[in-house]
Amino acid sequence: MARDQNQRGGNRRDENPEFQDRLVAINRVSKTVKGGKRFGFAALVVVGDQKGRVGFGKGKAKEVPEAIRKATEQAKRQMIRVQLREGRTLHHDMNGRHGAGRVVMRTAPQGTGIIAGGPMRAVFEMLGVQDIVAKSIGSSNPYNMIRATMDGLQKESSPRSVAQRRGKKVADILPKTNTVDEQSDVAHNSPSESATVDA
């Protein structure tokens, strides 16, 4: 019997070993019926592989573990992929909105860390972001905050996707750093050229 339980547990553990989940919020809900009130629990869970994939889900049940299980399964079905720059931050700044929830997300240099509120922090940690500055300037409802964050992440576009859409190379999309050097060379050469003209 114990061997069968260990085998089941091992199989369950190997189903999705790369995904990690984070419980964001859990609420006790009640339903009024003829004989009184029935209590249940609603859970909000964020799931990700910390390599660019993340999703969220919600579940309701009479017991907390069952509600968390339902939310986790829903989150795994609704996962999205986000392209990260250098595997640590976003490619550009963006805004997200859902209902009354509005969030602002900005890229950050290496070593900044995750500067964000509770529900948003859970999304970034499960996504694999290491450096980001985010602010929620709307509703503080964790459901709306997470939906607004996911809305903003879906708007992100990497240089590779932009280049494919426009039919160009990635080097043509990115800003050129040689223009500054060329301007400095022209500035250094201009006095000598003027001196030769006067002579």
Side-chain angles (χ1 to χ4, degrees), residues 21-175:
D21 55 79
R22 181 68 55 85
L23 179 63
V24 177
I26 186 161
N27 298 323
R28 193 183 74 166
V29 295
S30 63
K31 179 181 179 182
T32 303
V33 294
K34 185 177 180 180
K37 290 184 178 181
R38 292 181 180 177
F39 292 97
F41 295 92
L44 178 62
V45 176
V46 177
V47 175
D49 62 354
Q50 297 184 338
K51 296 179 182 178
R53 296 178 62 191
V54 68
F56 79 98
K58 56 182 181 178
K60 289 183 180 180
K62 295 182 179 180
E63 301 294 336
V64 175
E66 183 66 15
I68 295 175
R69 185 190 64 80
K70 289 182 178 180
T72 304
E73 290 182 353
Q74 184 183 18
K76 291 178 181 178
R77 292 194 301 265
Q78 299 179 351
M79 297 191 74
I80 63 171
R81 181 174 292 278
V82 180
Q83 300 293 334
L84 301 179
R85 187 178 69 185
E86 300 175 0
R88 61 173 186 83
T89 188
L90 303 176
H91 283 283
H92 55 83
D93 300 348
M94 64 191 73
N95 299 334
R97 188 161 192 167
H98 180 84
R102 184 166 169 238
V103 298
V104 178
M105 295 170 283
R106 295 181 178 179
T107 61
Q110 190 171 4
T112 304
I114 300 177
I115 302 177
M120 298 172 64
R121 173 180 289 271
V123 175
F124 297 139
E125 288 179 351
M126 295 298 100
L127 181 62
V129 176
Q130 300 176 8
D131 304 301
I132 191 171
V133 178
K135 177 69 176 176
S136 174
I137 52 180
S139 172
S140 60
N141 185 338
Y143 290 86
N144 286 341
M145 287 180 64
I146 288 184
R147 287 193 179 104
T149 305
M150 301 292 284
D151 175 70
L153 292 175
Q154 289 177 335
K155 297 177 182 177
E156 190 198 30
S157 57
S158 63
R160 182 177 300 177
S161 62
V162 174
Q164 291 178 353
R165 186 168 64 247
R166 297 174 60 183
K168 294 186 177 182
K169 297 180 180 179
V170 178
D172 299 335
I173 302 296
L174 296 176

